[in-house]
Structure formats: C-alpha cells, structure tokens
Amino acid sequence: MTQENEAKDEWEPKIIGFLCNWCSYTGADLAGTSRLQYPPNIRIIKVMCSGRVNPQFILKAFQEGADGILVSGCHPGDCHYIEGNYHARRKLTLLMDLLDYMGVDSKRFQMSWVSASEGQKFAEVVTTFTNQIKEMGPQTKLRGVK
Amino acid sequence: MPDQSDDIIRQYYEDVPLDEDYLLQVPEIVMMDDESLVDEPEIEVSSEMAFRKSKKTLEGDVLVVGAGISGMQAALDIADKGYRVIMIEKSATIGGNMVKLDKTFPTNDCSICTSAPKMVEVARHRNIKLITYANLSKLEGEPGNFKARIFRKSKYVDPDKCTGCGDCVPVCPVEVINPFEEKLAKRKAIYIEFPQAVPIVYTIDYDACVGCGSCERFCEPDAISFLEKSEDIEVSVGSVIIATGYELFEPLEMRREYGYGKYPNVITAMQFERLLSSFGPTDGKMKRPSDGEKPKSIAWIQCVGSRSKQLGFPYCSRVCCMYATKEASIAKELEPGMNVSVFYMDLRAYGKDFQQYYDKAKKMGVEYIRSRPSSVYQNDDGSITIRYMDTHTREVAEKTVDMLVLSTAIMPSKENKRLAEALGIEIDDSGFFQVKSIMTDPIMTTRDGVFLAGCNQGPKDIPDSVSMASGAAAKAVAPIIDRVKVIPTPDPPQKQVVGEKPRIGVFVCHCGKNIHSFLDTEEVARYSETIPGVVYAKDIMFACSEDTQKDIRQNIDALNLNRVIIAACSPITHGGLFEDTLVEAGLNKYLFEFVNIRQHCSWVHSHNKVTATQKAKDLVRMSIEKAKLLEPLSQEEVDVTTGVLIIGGGLAGMRAALALADMKIPAYIIEKDSELGGQLRHLHTLFPSDIKASEIIQPIIQQVEASEYITVYKNTTLENIEGYIGNFKATINSPDGEIEIDYGTTIIASGFGEIDMTGKYGYGQSQKIMTQTELEGRILKNDLPNPKKIVMINCAGAMDKERPYCCRIGCGVSIKNAKLLKEKFPNSDIYILYRDIRVFGKDEEEYFAKVIEDGHIKIVRYSHEEQPNVVIDDDGNLTVKVRDQVYNEDITIPTDLLVLTAQTEGDPSAHKLVEMFKIPIGPGNFFIEAHAKIKPLDFATGGVYFCGSAHFPKNLADTIAQAEGAASRAAIPILKGKITLEGITALVDDARCVGCGLCVDACPYSAIELTDEGKALVNEALCKGCGLCNATCRSGAIQQKGFNDHQILAMIKSAMFEVI
C-alpha cells in the first residue's frame, strides 16, 4: 500500500491540451503574461478551431499513453468561425459516452470554454484537471492498444 | 517587441526624406562618458520643447488622429484600400476606451478579445504608419493637400530594442496613480498601460520619473534611453479623420451629492468595468474599495451628468442605460444572491437586441427603480444609503447598498477646444466637434477634407462608432482616389523544397531573462540538435531583435534550411514577424512552426527549472515532428470585377451609391418600386430638425440620377445570384426583361416599414385611426379635418412576445409629429401615451424637452401590462382609456384623431436574400451582422455588406453614416483589385471522397459543394480554414492544410515520448 502510494506520488500524468487559436490559446498566453502558475503536465497543441478536433485525435492520444486530454475553445456564441465550437461540443460529448463504453473514465477527457481574456480561468482549468488526473492515476485501458 | 511597423513602413516610404538621424541610437560613449547628463540644466527644463529635434517630414494619403476603436477602423479601411495612413495617438498605446471595458452589451462579448486583434492588425499593417504618444499641433492647406504638424513625445525607451519583458517595472521606485485603471490602482513611472498594449514598448512617465536609472541598469536589451528625443514631424496628407473620442464626466463638483470622491464605496461605471476586467486591479473580482470585501448589494444611479443642463450636459449619453444593465446583469451572474438595483429616469433600450437584453436582466433579478435619487450618505460600516423619490409611488424612500456605481455621462474631451483651433474646425455648444449637417453630412466637419468618426461629435455606442469610422474612411478616400496606391514590393522568389528531406533549423530564445531564468535554453537547443531532421539548433538572446533576424536569414541561406522553428513567445504577437523573415530568406511562410515556451512554459512554471526545461523540450520536439510534415502553401490571388450591386433605392442605398461614385466605383441600384427614395418619400418632416423630407431626398435622387457611375433599375427585383466575393453575377428582372450584371461586392439596403396594425387599437375600424406614416401622408396632402383632441399611442405592437424589440425611432417620430400637429392646429390638445421616452443621444433630448414645454403636449406613461384601450361607440366616436402609471389613476380621453406609433420590421423581401446570399436574419426581419460590435456592416459571407434600416430602424444621421460605411467596406476588395485567399484552406482527395456531403453541411461559410461527379469541391475564395470539414470527414478525404491529420497525429505521438 505504502509502495503504491509512493509510486503515485512520483508519477506525473501526461496531458494533452488542444486549444483553439483565437480564444483559448490567447487565454493561455494571458495566463503567462500574468505569471499565473499551473502544473507543468500539459502539452499544448494549437488548432485553428476547437471544431477541428477529430474524435480520432482523442482516441489516438489515449492509445499513445495520454492520461488526460483537454479541449478548449471560445465560449458558445463567440466562435471565430461562427459555430465551430458547437460542432466540437456536440461531437465530443458523444465521444464521452464512447469512452465510458470502452472502459476509459470519460473524466479523463474534458472540454472547457476559455476566452482570450480569461488567463485566470485557463490556469484554474489546467490546475483542477491536472489534479483530477493525478487522483485518478495512470490511464492504462487504451495505452499501447493498436 | 520592436516596432515592426517601422521598418516595413520605411521600406514603403523610401522616397520620404527622413532625417538622417531618425531613430538614431545615442552613441553609447555619450552615455558612459557623462552619466550625470540627466542633471544638466538643459534637460531639467520641464517643457519637453527642449528636447525637440530638427523637423522630420512624412508623406501619406490620410491622417487619422486618435487610435481608439473608431480611429483603428477608419485607418484599416483606408489602408486595406491601398492608401497610406499616418495614424497618431496621444497615449503610449492604441486601443482607446474600449479596451478598458470588461464586456460589451448586448452580447456580453469580451471587449479586449475583440479589440486586441484590431490593435495588432493596425500595428502590423504595411500601409499604416503608427505614431503613438503624439499630438497634432496645426493643420494647414486644403483637401488633397494638407500639411499637419505633429509633436511626438519621447518615451525614453527605444522601440526597436524594448522587448516588452517588463523587467524594468519591479525596480522602478516611483509609484503614481494609474489613469488607465481609473485611479483604482497605481503604476510605476515606467509602464505599459495594459498587458496587451500595442506597441508593447514601455514608456517612462517623464513627470513622475526621478531619474534614478534603475530601469536602465536592469534592462538587458539596453532599451532605456534617457537621451531619446521628442520630435516635430511635418506630415503631408490628402485628407484628415479626427477620431479623438470622449471623456467621462467626473461627478466631483456637479452631482457631488452622490458622494463620489467623498465615500470610497461610490465609484463610476468605468471603475466598475475595471473591477470586472480580468486584467484589472482586482483580477476581475468584485471588491469594494473601502475594505476589499465582496459587496452583497450594488446599486447604479443613471444619468449622472446627463439630461440636465444645470447639473452637467443637456443631452442623453446614449449608452449608460445599456452599460448599467450589462454591469448589473454580470454582477448578478457572478453572484446570483446579490441584491442589484438600477435607479433610472427612462430606460433607453433603443438599439438592436437592447430591449431583449433589458428584459433578460429584469428576469435575472435586476431591480429597476424609476426614481430621482436626491442624495446619498455613508454609514459606519462603509455602506451607502440612497435617498430617492420613487416616481411611481411619489414617495420618498431610502435604500442601503454596499457599493454605489454612478453611470456618468459621456462628455466632450477637454482637448477639443485646442484641437478645434489647431484644425480650424468649429465646436458646438456642448464642446463636441460641430458636424457640417446632422441631417445630410453627419461625418463632415465644418472644414472640407476633415472628417469625424466616433464619439467626438456626440455620444455613440461601439457599432455606431465603427460604422461611422468606415463612413469617414470612404469620405476621406474620395479626394485622393486618383493617387497612386501602394504597390507591395514583390517577395523574393521561393525556394523549391517539395521532395527535399527536411532540414530543420531550431532557434531557442532567451528573451533576456524571461525564458532563460526559468528553463535551460542551452539544454533545449542541445537536445533539439539530436532529433533527426534538425541540422541546426541554437539558443539566442532575443529572437525578435533585428540582428537575430539577420542571423536566421543567413542560416537559412548557408545551411539550406527548409523548415524553421522558433521557440520563444506567442505566435499571436510575433508570428507575423518571423513569417516575414522566412519570406525574405526565400522560404514559404508556412514552413514555420512557433513554439511558445514563454507564456506557455517559463512564465507559468517559474518555480521548477527541471520540469519547465522538460516541458520546453517536449513542446519543441512536438513542433519538430509536425514541421517535418509541413508543406509550402500558396495563397492564390483572384482578380476582382469592379462594381457594387445595391439592393434598395432608399436613402441608405442611394447614399452608399454616391459614396461609391465619389470613389469612382460603378454602382447598380435595384429598386422594387417605381421611384427612388424609400420610406422618406412618405414622410413630411424629419426628426430632430423639422426639415422637410423632400428637401433631403430630392437633391439626393437628382445626384444619383445624374451620376455617371450609378445605374438605377426601377421596378426591378433580384432573381438570382451566383459567384462569390470579387466575382458575383446577378440576374435581375427589370421592365426591360432579364439582365445579368457582373460585379464585385454587394450592399443590401432593403429597408423597413411599419407592421400591419389591423386588429390592434381599433385600427381599420375608423377613419380617425391611423399610423404615424399615414398621418404624415395626410399632412402632406393636406386632407386632415380639424382635430380638437389628438392621442398618440407609442410602442403600438412593440416589445411584445411576437416582436420583442424597441423600434428605436418611434419616440422621436411621435414628438416630431406632435409638434407638427400643434403648429397646424394650435388649439388642439395632444396626448402622447408612452412607455419610456427613448430620445437618445445629442439633439434629440433637447428637441423633446422643448416640444413638450412649448407645445403644452401632455405625456402619459402606461405600462406594458396595462395597455391603452380604444373604444369606438356606435356613432363612431373614439375614446382612449389608459392607466396613468405616474399618477396611478385611470384616465379617459375622448379623441377625434388617434395616431399609432406602429412597430416596424425589415422589408419582407429580406427573406429571399437570406437564401441567395446565405446570410442570417433575426427577429423582425432584420439581418444579423458578422459581429454586433466590431463588424456591424459585414456579413460572415465575404463580399456582402448591409446598411440602413435593413440592419435595424434608425434615424437619418445613423443611416447615412452606415451607408457610407458600407460603401467603404464594399470598396475595399474593389480598390485592391485582387483578393488574396487563405493559405490554410481545405483540400479534397478525390480518390478518397465518397460524396457523403457531411462536409458541405459542416462548413459555416458554404465554401464546399458537391460536384456532379459526387465529389466535394472547396471554393478557396470562401474557405476560412477552420478545419470543421476535416474533423467531420469520415474517410479522411478532406484535409485542412497546415493542420492535417498526419501533422496533428505526429504531434500527439511525439508528445508522449519520454525524454531521458
């Protein structure tokens, strides 16, 4: 038990964050400009719109061994491409059901809306999500599955 | 960030005789030899005149004074047309008042998010020369040939060297009140106004600086230069736009009964915006100033400084009702348990979606108290008690709140008087700039060739300011239309890289200490070099400095690099700079990846160098893997057909056509009626100047019909539209048969009308009941019997379930017609039954007050719940029964003329256009713009614009400003002559496409269609590169260039790689 706990403490989750270019990426920039601190586990991949995120990316990332995945876009109604974030929301909500069905806790996958002015919110979202994944431990269900 | 625009501009102004020592760096030896230089008497002179250098001259086409949202829009509209703009701004940054706001009504869009991209665009635009921290001191000459004198103050920081890192701030010992934060916070003597400031160059506040030199010692790029001099610049231009904005009333003397400046918990609405702002002094948390506690109740007092000649300004400030509603509902949203109330006189929710926004706020629990607050006092716990008279109950009452916000008036800038003298233009009684004519030329000043935009001639909201700014751009371009436009210098030929093995160069930026202190940049560079495909990796002090740019170009050349990775700050601010560097070195700009190891790494993980370095390595590796798969992308150019199709020949359509004709652009007006003139043909006089409608519209019709650039098709309808921005083909059905027109862009000016009132208020059952427009028709024809008692019912059919909006113009129209009737029938009694009197803005309030007083017009307020009742007896006698909300009594008015101020709606033909142009339409048949605030005249569909009452009902001045604005927008692609298409677009692999059509449905821009062969085909002219289609395609046939599946999957895969 003690050993397991120790292993959990040492283990650091790998998290991938897909951020849209116009809101969330810029929000993450503001978090930086404001020198807000958040856990360093997230690896950011910029996409032009959250609607670009293909469910395949999420599954692939879990296969490659990601422990948590975050998709963040403009607030509903604020999409730079009019309605891309609605597409993302609809599509990726369905994916959550699929993940649960496959035995991957869908809490490992999160969507958020962070605007370009919400540096604080971005830092909070990443911090909360990272801590949550840390609690959940490593993702093993899809890791290495071909 | 170096002032990137500067180099580029210099390149384009090669013929400009710049002083040899322009931006000359002070020789280091001078600084070293004489460190006590700042103490020398010459420099101690408080006036900056002592620093003046010899004169410098600049040449441009248009001078724009003021770089708030209006100035920026005007500058971009002109620069996009290919003319050179010189833009001056008195502050150290551009952005104006809008950037201070937290959100904007009625969409609650984040304000900085919509203005910051415009700021960056202005700074990076090749045709805009931006001079901040500068004032205009004189204007001489005439249209087409003005000479302006500009005084640019020194910032004492070299814009080319300052990287915006902010290391100078903590070491500065001086603190002063920060005007940007509305005095709620302090700043240092060396400062930027806010994190997104443009240009990101720090400024030394000369008056506050003690000259200790700390910033200079700590500045790594050596950007601080106490010897940097102010300068006089002489500017030659063809026209001038003044967009100097407004100031806010400070209730320190007048209206001091509300305790501002005396009680800490009484603040202004702009201060409240700063409290809400995520980059404000409280990081967006509502805290009251006295103790930093979260308030449990907040109240707003409206009209502080507005609507009173004695206690401020006579006019209505036009925006306060809505910003208070916005602030109150945001407060309620953040803290649903909070007690939020607004003390108001009339709630003026007159604009598009305003009434719905107000209704929503009420539903959320914002309490609106119709009242006159007389005084406030502070309690021991810091709370504020407001003493007021409730104008419904007529009782004096008190309310105690934790914080009080004053909705202060928009007032003319104190600078206006000086500026008006310098410009040779006039100011009005209030101190705003005088427009040439509020009814016909709301954009022009009293001096030819000098135009106005935004709030400097009267209060305005953001979309009206933006529309007017575009309008000013159209007017300012007309006198210089024949000037040679800027021809962009061609880029050096691109190296052929397709089929070559990736040869990647990685540059890791220290950003002084900003990255280097928190992660090991040398290690990141060393590691990068070990990754296959990377042939060169190096850490550098400042990636953005000019010498490094040179170094990058040389390495591309010498090592034959075909992919470049910059690991530094953000692509949002610096991406364009490095793309230009690649292009100069002969590489396609899309062979570039930007890794953000500053904002996304060193600054957010500054406590653990090991993990930050690890993350930086991962991020760089991910981009290297993507870069290997990058391909050069081409940005196709498409020729544009000249000419603009204008749908609707009313005032808006005609004024748009005339503005286009002034720019020598052909316009085709199609009008469904047999005559031009639209609604104005049916009106007698116009609000608020009593001028005859025919006197306005007839000269315009004559000008239109005489213009060699305008073709008018009457009795004509639009049958079909093909094509896209730059190349449309319209098929019209005219009395001469079907005609095809090839043209470039479209303006929709289809107008509006009164709704059918049948069945409401007895309309249709008596000859004595008519609408306002019918009344004016009858007055025109002189066939009204002599009425003794006249009743007008405002808001007839408005603000109900079916049409939840306010018609914006009804109050004005009813007052104008009441005056008209009173003049015609002096012995008549006139009653206006109203819900709120919404005479907003300058002139209208004053007109209203005068008519009511002089004409002895009786006004009766009724509520939505208790609508007036019209009774027609057997003899045909009319009686109106209404509950007077102010005196709380039922009144009965026998009347012999009942006029209904009918609700309005967009022209029914609008629906046909929705299909043809794929544009959205909202409540009341009014079109929905691309963005409620900053793109009020555009649609998301490229090349289609709109103006006038097709947007929403509006008065003459606003219609003309919009029409000229739409003309400016529509002229941009045409004057450019070419459209550069997005490089990042979607591409279909025909072999994989199964023709399911999912991408066609997913595309928000209707850029994809299915061909006859059952394959998806992307129209690159319409594609904006969002990638929705890519995420939707189930066979991987459609790919977003630059972000295709392979590239993103490569990043995902490499993100998981464990670095030892």
Side-chain angles (χ1 to χ4, degrees):
Chain A
M1 199 65 188
T2 338
Q3 243 178 345
E4 222 177 38
N5 271 349
E6 248 171 45
K8 215 173 180 179
D9 282 345
E10 274 173 27
W11 169 78
E12 285 291 335
K14 285 252 183 183
I15 294 170
I16 290 193
F18 293 96
L19 308 188
C20 86
N21 180 58
W22 305 97
C23 291
S24 297
Y25 191 93
T26 317
D29 276 2
L30 184 60
T33 313
S34 317
R35 314 295 205 274
L36 305 170
Q37 301 292 307
Y38 55 79
N41 305 66
I42 190 165
R43 303 288 175 267
I44 288 168
I45 296 177
K46 185 179 87 174
V47 285
M48 293 310 281
C49 178
S50 56
R52 168 67 185 97
V53 179
N54 194 323
Q56 182 201 2
F57 297 165
I58 314 294
L59 296 174
K60 189 75 183 168
F62 280 134
Q63 280 173 299
E64 293 292 341
D67 301 298
I69 297 164
L70 174 75
V71 174
S72 189
C74 308
H75 282 269
D78 283 359
C79 180
H80 185 82
Y81 300 107
I82 309 170
E83 56 191 33
N85 51 1
Y86 289 127
H87 282 255
R89 184 168 69 177
R90 214 176 302 164
K91 208 177 293 183
L92 299 175
T93 308
L94 280 174
L95 180 74
M96 286 186 175
D97 292 345
L98 180 69
L99 288 174
D100 280 329
Y101 177 75
M102 292 165 83
V104 180
D105 191 340
S106 61
K107 287 201 191 75
R108 291 188 180 277
F109 170 58
Q110 190 181 326
M111 271 184 282
S112 67
W113 314 122
V114 173
S115 81
S117 69
E118 293 175 325
Q120 181 76 41
K121 184 175 176 189
F122 182 78
E124 281 163 16
V125 166
V126 174
T127 308
T128 319
F129 187 56
T130 310
N131 292 339
Q132 183 186 318
I133 300 296
K134 267 190 191 164
E135 279 297 308
M136 295 173 81
Q139 181 277 125
T140 50
K141 189 76 189 175
L142 286 182
R143 185 191 294 258
V145 173
K146 295 284 167 198
Chain B
M1 181 172 85
D3 186 354
Q4 295 141 6
S5 61
D6 215 78
D7 262 359
I8 299 159
I9 293 295
R10 252 183 286 176
Q11 177 188 321
Y12 283 90
Y13 289 65
E14 268 167 356
D15 52 339
V16 178
L18 288 178
D19 277 3
E20 277 177 9
D21 58 350
Y22 174 51
L23 290 182
L24 178 83
Q25 292 169 11
V26 176
E28 218 172 341
I29 191 151
V30 176
M31 304 286 284
M32 283 160 63
D33 274 356
D34 195 351
E35 278 180 6
S36 62
L37 200 63
V38 282
D39 294 325
E40 280 192 10
E42 186 200 346
I43 304 202
E44 267 186 353
V45 180
S46 65
S47 158
E48 299 196 28
M49 303 295 277
F51 291 78
R52 285 200 185 187
K53 303 175 87 174
S54 57
K55 260 193 279 173
K56 185 176 102 177
T57 55
L58 272 179
E59 218 170 283
D61 296 317
V62 180
L63 172 70
V64 178
V65 183
I69 188 68
S70 305
M72 292 196 293
Q73 183 64 45
L76 287 170
D77 261 31
I78 296 162
D80 283 344
K81 292 185 178 81
Y83 296 98
R84 299 165 303 169
V85 177
I86 294 169
M87 181 167 212
I88 65 168
E89 163 59 46
K90 70 174 190 301
S91 313
T93 175
I94 62 176
N97 277 313
M98 184 179 167
V99 295
K100 289 187 185 183
L101 306 178
D102 172 48
K103 293 190 166 66
T104 51
F105 62 81
T107 50
N108 281 4
D109 262 328
C110 146
S111 191
I112 185 76
C113 313
T114 44
S115 39
K118 278 221 189 271
M119 292 160 64
V120 174
E121 207 182 333
V122 164
R124 292 205 54 84
H125 205 295
R126 293 182 167 197
N127 295 347
I128 300 175
K129 165 75 182 164
L130 181 61
I131 307 170
T132 53
Y133 222 39
N135 278 308
L136 181 133
S137 41
K138 202 167 182 56
L139 182 73
E140 286 167 333
E142 64 279 320
N145 187 21
F146 283 116
K147 284 215 179 338
R149 293 271 295 277
I150 311 293
F151 178 61
R152 185 185 70 82
K153 291 186 280 180
S154 172
K155 293 183 180 178
Y156 305 104
V157 175
D158 186 335
D160 283 341
K161 288 184 179 173
C162 178
T163 64
C165 69
D167 283 348
C168 48
V169 174
V171 299
C172 175
V174 186
E175 280 196 338
V176 287
I177 301 271
N178 188 351
F180 182 82
E181 298 294 1
E182 294 290 315
K183 304 181 183 173
L184 287 174
K186 288 185 169 174
R187 64 155 162 78
K188 295 296 183 67
I190 186 161
Y191 69 99
I192 50 168
E193 303 232 46
F194 53 100
Q196 299 86 348
V198 171
I200 305 181
V201 173
Y202 277 77
T203 301
I204 293 179
D205 180 340
Y206 181 79
D207 294 328
C209 176
V210 294
C212 68
S214 302
C215 51
E216 191 191 359
R217 285 192 294 278
F218 275 81
C219 179
E220 255 180 65
D222 279 331
I224 312 286
S225 161
F226 289 112
L227 294 181
E228 158 119 12
K229 288 175 182 167
S230 302
E231 55 188 1
D232 255 331
I233 307 168
E234 191 182 271
V235 167
S236 313
V237 287
S239 22
V240 181
I241 293 176
I242 311 298
T244 43
Y246 63 93
E247 281 175 23
L248 285 165
F249 178 78
E250 212 179 0
L252 279 171
E253 287 180 17
M254 267 189 286
R255 314 253 45 171
R256 67 173 181 275
E257 67 269 31
Y258 294 146
Y260 176 80
K262 194 158 81 178
Y263 310 136
N265 293 329
V266 178
I267 60 173
T268 66
M270 190 57 112
Q271 290 179 323
F272 191 71
E273 294 281 344
R274 294 314 301 151
L275 291 185
L276 288 177
S277 169
S278 50
F279 60 96
T282 56
D283 295 326
K285 295 192 177 61
M286 275 186 286
K287 290 178 181 172
R288 61 178 199 171
S290 68
D291 49 13
E293 287 296 311
K294 192 192 283 175
K296 292 186 185 66
S297 53
I298 310 180
W300 276 257
I301 293 181
Q302 297 303 104
C303 304
V304 178
S306 307
R307 299 184 65 184
S308 168
K309 212 169 187 170
Q310 293 76 35
L311 299 168
F313 296 91
Y315 51 81
C316 158
S317 285
R318 206 162 150 154
V319 290
C320 323
C321 283
M322 295 323 289
Y323 74 58
T325 297
K326 171 193 70 181
E327 291 175 358
S329 42
I330 291 172
K332 196 79 190 162
E333 214 171 87
L334 293 173
E335 294 294 331
M338 188 185 278
N339 186 316
V340 174
S341 43
V342 178
F343 292 83
Y344 74 105
M345 285 157 67
D346 290 289
L347 207 292
R348 295 189 166 160
Y350 59 84
K352 196 174 186 173
D353 289 331
F354 290 7
Q355 179 68 27
Q356 293 97 309
Y357 190 66
Y358 164 46
D359 287 338
K360 198 175 142 204
K362 281 193 286 190
K363 241 180 235 163
M364 285 171 77
V366 177
E367 186 190 7
Y368 285 86
I369 303 168
R370 193 163 189 271
S371 57
R372 305 253 172 170
S374 57
S375 61
V376 309
Y377 56 85
Q378 181 176 251
N379 303 304
D380 291 343
D381 61 353
S383 63
I384 303 289
T385 300
I386 305 147
R387 179 183 279 268
Y388 64 98
M389 189 186 73
D390 188 313
T391 42
H392 282 154
T393 60
R394 303 252 141 198
E395 276 166 13
V396 175
E398 286 192 344
K399 188 177 175 74
T400 301
V401 291
D402 287 346
M403 194 158 86
L404 175 63
V405 184
L406 304 179
S407 297
T408 51
I410 282 184
M411 59 178 249
S413 164
K414 291 179 208 73
E415 270 274 279
N416 281 6
K417 212 173 157 199
R418 184 197 69 78
L419 204 55
E421 251 167 54
L423 286 162
I425 62 175
E426 286 165 29
I427 52 176
D428 69 11
D429 295 343
S430 302
F432 288 109
F433 294 129
Q434 178 71 49
V435 298
K436 190 171 171 191
S437 156
I438 188 69
M439 302 308 268
T440 55
D441 289 302
I443 287 173
M444 294 165 80
T445 63
T446 47
R447 181 172 183 180
D448 280 351
V450 182
F451 306 95
L452 297 172
C455 284
N456 57 13
Q457 37 65 59
K460 263 191 184 48
D461 66 0
I462 295 166
D464 287 341
S465 298
V466 170
S467 302
M468 187 181 180
S470 284
K475 301 296 266 184
V477 161
I480 51 149
I481 196 74
D482 289 329
R483 288 195 179 187
V484 180
K485 283 182 280 197
V486 179
I487 302 161
T489 38
D491 296 329
Q494 282 184 16
K495 281 184 211 158
Q496 175 62 30
V497 302
V498 179
E500 278 181 18
K501 266 192 175 169
R503 293 180 61 81
I504 304 172
V506 181
F507 299 85
V508 185
C509 180
H510 289 198
C511 194
K513 290 194 184 89
N514 285 294
I515 297 173
H516 190 62
S517 293
F518 309 110
L519 60 87
D520 190 342
T521 44
E522 286 104 343
E523 170 62 17
V524 176
R526 264 198 306 276
Y527 168 71
S528 305
E529 214 160 15
T530 65
I531 299 173
V534 177
V535 294
Y536 181 77
K538 192 184 170 194
D539 58 297
I540 44 185
M541 181 61 86
F542 287 106
C544 56
S545 64
E546 187 46 44
D547 52 328
T548 315
Q549 301 279 306
K550 213 162 128 193
D551 187 44
I552 295 170
R553 286 194 294 264
Q554 280 169 354
N555 276 303
I556 292 173
D557 211 40
L559 300 167
N560 203 18
L561 302 178
N562 56 20
R563 309 282 192 282
V564 174
I565 288 172
I566 306 287
C569 49
S570 174
I572 311 280
T573 51
H574 285 62
L577 175 74
F578 293 104
E579 285 174 4
D580 288 350
T581 311
L582 259 72
V583 170
E584 283 160 27
L587 272 187
N588 184 281
K589 73 174 190 184
Y590 292 98
L591 297 169
F592 163 64
E593 273 291 295
F594 207 131
V595 192
N596 192 338
I597 58 168
R598 190 174 81 174
Q599 279 96 326
H600 294 185
C601 195
S602 72
W603 276 353
V604 287
H605 313 308
S606 40
H607 303 316
N608 190 334
K609 202 167 179 175
V610 177
T611 49
T613 307
Q614 171 74 58
K615 178 172 174 179
K617 284 180 180 175
D618 285 355
L619 292 174
V620 171
R621 184 184 62 246
M622 287 159 68
S623 284
I624 290 172
E625 293 308 320
K626 181 181 177 186
K628 287 178 188 173
L629 300 171
L630 287 176
E631 288 164 357
L633 304 180
S634 59
Q635 287 180 282
E636 298 296 329
E637 280 196 335
V638 178
D639 282 331
V640 172
T641 312
T642 189
V644 178
L645 182 77
I646 299 174
I647 301 163
L651 177 73
M654 288 194 292
R655 284 301 292 251
L658 288 172
L660 287 164
D662 285 346
M663 291 184 274
K664 300 193 174 176
I665 296 172
Y668 313 98
I669 299 180
I670 55 172
E671 168 57 51
K672 66 179 187 318
D673 285 347
S674 56
E675 274 179 73
L676 290 172
Q679 286 295 328
L680 285 190
R681 278 192 298 135
H682 310 298
L683 304 184
H684 181 50
T685 56
L686 296 170
F687 176 74
S689 75
D690 294 332
I691 192 167
K692 285 218 164 53
S694 56
E695 284 175 29
I696 299 278
I697 201 74
Q698 287 309 328
I700 295 176
I701 294 175
Q702 281 161 16
Q703 276 178 41
V704 165
E705 294 191 328
S707 170
E708 55 175 317
Y709 289 98
I710 303 172
T711 319
V712 180
Y713 299 94
K714 293 175 197 166
N715 291 313
T716 298
T717 52
L718 182 63
E719 293 304 316
N720 190 40
I721 285 289
E722 282 170 40
Y724 47 86
I725 176 169
N727 293 289
F728 282 107
K729 185 193 278 296
T731 310
I732 59 169
N733 195 353
S734 79
D736 302 329
E738 257 187 19
I739 301 174
E740 282 188 347
I741 305 172
D742 290 307
Y743 69 96
T745 51
T746 315
I747 294 176
I748 295 173
S750 50
F752 76 132
E754 289 177 337
I755 62 166
D756 180 8
M757 292 301 294
T758 307
K760 296 185 172 90
Y761 306 101
Y763 182 83
Q765 295 167 38
S766 164
Q767 291 292 312
K768 297 174 188 165
I769 305 177
M770 60 192 71
T771 67
Q772 294 283 4
T773 308
E774 286 164 350
L775 171 77
E776 294 200 45
R778 297 280 285 273
I779 298 174
L780 266 177
K781 286 188 212 134
N782 224 352
D783 74 341
L784 270 184
N786 195 352
K788 294 268 178 331
K789 271 204 172 176
I790 304 167
V791 176
M792 292 186 176
I793 301 179
N794 282 3
C795 307
M799 302 189 278
D800 55 14
K801 266 208 172 116
E802 198 185 344
R803 294 184 183 82
Y805 52 92
C806 159
C807 82
R808 185 169 169 136
I809 51 171
C811 290
V813 170
S814 62
I815 290 150
K816 182 234 347 173
N817 285 351
K819 184 180 177 203
L820 211 60
L821 288 169
K822 195 75 188 178
E823 282 165 1
K824 228 170 162 59
F825 311 111
N827 296 323
S828 61
D829 277 339
I830 302 179
Y831 294 80
I832 298 178
L833 315 187
Y834 73 101
R835 279 176 60 182
D836 268 310
I837 290 289
R838 293 179 174 174
V839 281
F840 52 87
K842 214 159 56 92
D843 301 323
E844 299 198 357
E845 179 83 47
E846 295 96 309
Y847 179 93
F848 163 73
K850 200 166 166 6
V851 170
I852 297 302
E853 202 182 313
D854 294 357
H856 303 289
I857 313 272
K858 298 172 187 71
I859 55 172
V860 179
R861 188 180 157 97
Y862 72 92
S863 79
H864 178 59
E865 290 71 30
E866 293 170 296
Q867 296 270 339
N869 195 15
V870 179
V871 182
I872 311 169
D873 71 11
D874 296 343
D875 302 330
N877 297 320
L878 289 182
T879 314
V880 179
K881 291 179 176 169
V882 64
R883 174 100 186 150
D884 185 326
Q885 227 197 346
V886 177
Y887 292 95
N888 256 328
E889 58 186 22
D890 291 316
I891 53 173
T892 304
I893 318 163
T895 176
D896 38 22
L897 176 61
L898 174 62
V899 187
L900 303 176
T901 310
Q903 172 68 301
T904 56
E905 64 181 2
D907 194 272
S909 68
H911 276 282
K912 205 170 139 192
L913 303 174
V914 168
E915 290 296 308
M916 283 188 195
F917 291 101
K918 303 193 171 63
I919 48 178
I921 198 160
N925 287 349
F926 298 112
F927 292 107
I928 300 172
E929 55 274 38
H931 190 282
K933 285 287 164 185
I934 53 163
K935 283 189 173 176
L937 307 172
D938 296 38
F939 287 109
T941 309
V944 188
Y945 313 89
F946 71 140
C947 59
S949 297
H951 168 272
F952 201 65
K954 45 183 60 69
N955 65 20
L956 222 58
D958 291 345
T959 301
I960 293 169
Q962 270 207 343
E964 290 175 344
S968 170
R969 306 295 299 155
I972 290 172
I974 289 170
L975 289 176
K976 254 186 182 169
K978 277 189 165 56
I979 296 169
T980 308
L981 306 181
E982 282 279 343
I984 297 171
T985 52
L987 182 70
V988 181
D989 179 354
D990 275 356
R992 287 184 160 209
C993 179
V994 295
C996 66
L998 283 180
C999 54
V1000 178
D1001 294 338
C1003 180
Y1005 300 99
S1006 312
I1008 311 175
E1009 57 180 1
L1010 280 187
T1011 62
D1012 294 340
E1013 289 78 40
K1015 303 288 177 194
L1017 181 71
V1018 178
N1019 184 338
E1020 294 213 343
L1022 296 178
C1023 179
K1024 302 248 192 277
C1026 61
L1028 284 189
C1029 51
N1030 198 162
T1032 307
C1033 181
R1034 43 193 180 188
S1035 46
I1038 193 161
Q1039 292 288 333
Q1040 183 189 8
K1041 295 183 214 164
F1043 291 87
N1044 68 33
D1045 289 346
H1046 293 303
Q1047 290 161 349
I1048 294 181
L1049 288 171
M1051 289 185 90
I1052 293 172
K1053 200 171 173 187
S1054 73
M1056 293 306 144
F1057 187 79
E1058 298 287 341
V1059 186
I1060 306 123

